[in-house]
Amino acid sequence: METEPTVDIPPTWRTLTGDDLPAVAALATRCLAVDGGLPLVSDASFLARRFAADGGVARGAVDPSGTLIAAGALRPQETHGVRAAVATGLVDPAHRRRGLGAALLDWALDPALVGAERVTVETEALTDGARTLFAARGLEQTFAEDVLRFDLAGAEPPPVDLPAGLTVQTWSAELAGRFFAVYQAAFRERPGFPDWTAQQWLEWTTDDEDFQPEWTLLVTDPTGADLGFVTAGRGWIVQVGVRPEARGRRLGGALVVAALRRMRSAGSTEALLDVNVDNPAGALYRRLGFTDLGRRARFETRR
């Protein structure tokens, strides 16, 4: 008896709402398992800021069983007085190469959707297929960073200690201004430095509910000069900075290790960090034992 040929039934496209967030989270989890990348991609609050944003729109494709197999979102964002929008999308690994990603991207690049003059496309796990698709639509990469992980459950931090004579101090409100001064000295020459005020940086650092002051450290030499710092959150190394004149003494690596040891002692099983692909510190983190989870990136239409 002959077998009936398989019929590829096209998915059904529809508008997504906040009620669809559990289905989006399930889709994001399937993508994360194959693509790697930022683990937060399947977090409910993370997805809500993208797929249920004020003034935003979202679209999805469901298969005949009703399973969400592709989802895209566009949210407005004003930048320097320009009405812009940020797009993101997910395609189930089992349903790729069917044109779903291209359909989502073409939909998102329509500036009339949210009245945007420019659209930025973001991805939390840059794949070869996504890179090829973005290039075919005339998009160019404007940002990329690698997501790295240290397995605190499976390995102790390496034996990298601060040079003798240096003092480590833990974050406190009294030391906040000194942390900010080192931050400015360490980062002001880097491209894209935001030039925040002390208040802006302190709010960005401490207002996060995951901020961990006991893992946030400042290193000082015997003269009282502050040389470097590390800030940390629950499960994250957030920032590491060393004054230019103090570099070359392994302070950055020693600060990261000091924070990792405190995390491990507190029962943390992993530590994540992001590092720009152009930042030479990425090689340091990998030597310390961090491994790659994936690459985040942003793309824009060529001007």
Side-chain angles (χ1 to χ4, degrees), residues 45-130:
S45 60
F46 181 92
L47 291 171
R49 292 192 295 270
R50 285 151 178 78
F51 286 85
D54 290 342
V57 292
R59 187 180 190 226
V62 296
D63 69 9
S65 72
T67 300
L68 185 69
I69 58 173
L74 193 68
R75 63 187 188 275
Q77 184 181 74
E78 186 167 320
T79 305
H80 305 299
V82 176
R83 285 186 58 81
V86 181
T88 190
L90 300 163
V91 177
D92 191 314
H95 292 270
R96 291 174 183 172
R97 301 183 182 275
R98 297 177 59 191
L100 298 176
L104 283 174
L105 183 59
D106 291 340
W107 167 81
L109 290 177
D110 179 0
L113 278 177
V114 291
E117 300 174 42
R118 185 174 69 249
V119 175
T120 296
V121 178
E122 65 180 8
T123 174
E124 303 301 338
L126 181 60
T127 64
D128 290 340

Side-chain angles (χ1 to χ4, degrees), residues 18 36 64 185 187 224:
F187 290 101

